[in-house]
Amino acid sequence: LCRLINPMPCSQAMYSGEDALFVAKEFVAEQGCDATELLAVRVNPFTADFLLAPVVNGVVLMTAAVSVSVCLSSREITFFDAADYIKNYRENVAAYDSVPEPESILPDVNIIKTKVCFAEIDSKERLCYLAVCRYEDEYLWVFLDYSSLKVIKMQKIPFTDLV
């Protein structure tokens, strides 16, 4: 299954975002996608939206992320998109064990976590470090060049209630 849109009515929240995340991960696995790294979450009044990415040998494949939305009144999947997963997933990724501490590079932000990832930068897939950061009231993805540790891209996380 590549894409599913289920326009069912969701009228009241009977389940939590954590319940919905469990349902989303279970559904993604049933579709044959190994996407377990939670990149972003948005819990709306009646639905919860998730962006999940696969992790291969410790590397997050952001370019192969799947989007899933779950109705909080029925725990039904209302949206699923795995097109990027189908196009970009791969298993031949070398293992990367060490992740630098980028506090000296990003002194003005609160770094939540750092991971090695493949991300699309300037229309090309690049190996880089992903620092999930908080700056004032916003959450950011900060991408650092894998070799030089220079910031190559900063992006507001599309939706984040939990990181």
Side-chain angles (χ1 to χ4, degrees), residues 65-84:
V66 299
S67 297
V68 185
S69 296
V70 178
C71 177
L72 295 177
S73 58
S74 65
R75 293 176 46 159
E76 293 288 324
I77 302 298
T78 58
F79 179 80
F80 173 70
D81 186 354
D84 289 339

Side-chain angles (χ1 to χ4, degrees), residues 2 108 116 126 139-140:
C2 177
D108 298 329
V116 178
R126 290 181 59 175
Y139 288 94
L140 305 169

Side-chain angles (χ1 to χ4, degrees), residues 50-96:
F50 304 100
L51 186 63
L52 300 164
V55 178
V56 178
N57 292 329
V59 178
V60 179
L61 303 179
M62 293 184 74
T63 56
V66 299
S67 297
V68 185
S69 296
V70 178
C71 177
L72 295 177
S73 58
S74 65
R75 293 176 46 159
E76 293 288 324
I77 302 298
T78 58
F79 179 80
F80 173 70
D81 186 354
D84 289 339
Y85 184 93
I86 292 168
K87 289 187 296 189
N88 300 318
Y89 180 79
R90 64 174 157 268
E91 294 182 357
N92 59 340
V93 177
Y96 296 90

Side-chain angles (χ1 to χ4, degrees), residues 17-18 21 25 36-43 49-52 60 62 110-115 130-142 155-163:
E18 290 81 16
L21 177 59
K25 284 185 172 184
T36 58
E37 179 74 20
L38 182 62
L39 297 178
V41 177
R42 177 177 45 216
V43 179
D49 307 320
F50 304 100
L51 186 63
L52 300 164
V60 179
M62 293 184 74
N110 177 20
I111 299 168
I112 298 168
K113 62 182 170 182
T114 307
K115 299 203 171 259
L130 166 67
V132 178
C133 304
R134 183 174 182 167
Y135 179 73
E136 295 178 356
D137 291 336
E138 300 209 347
Y139 288 94
L140 305 169
W141 285 327
V142 179
Q155 176 182 342
K156 183 179 175 186
I157 297 177
F159 46 88
T160 301
D161 290 331
L162 306 167
V163 178

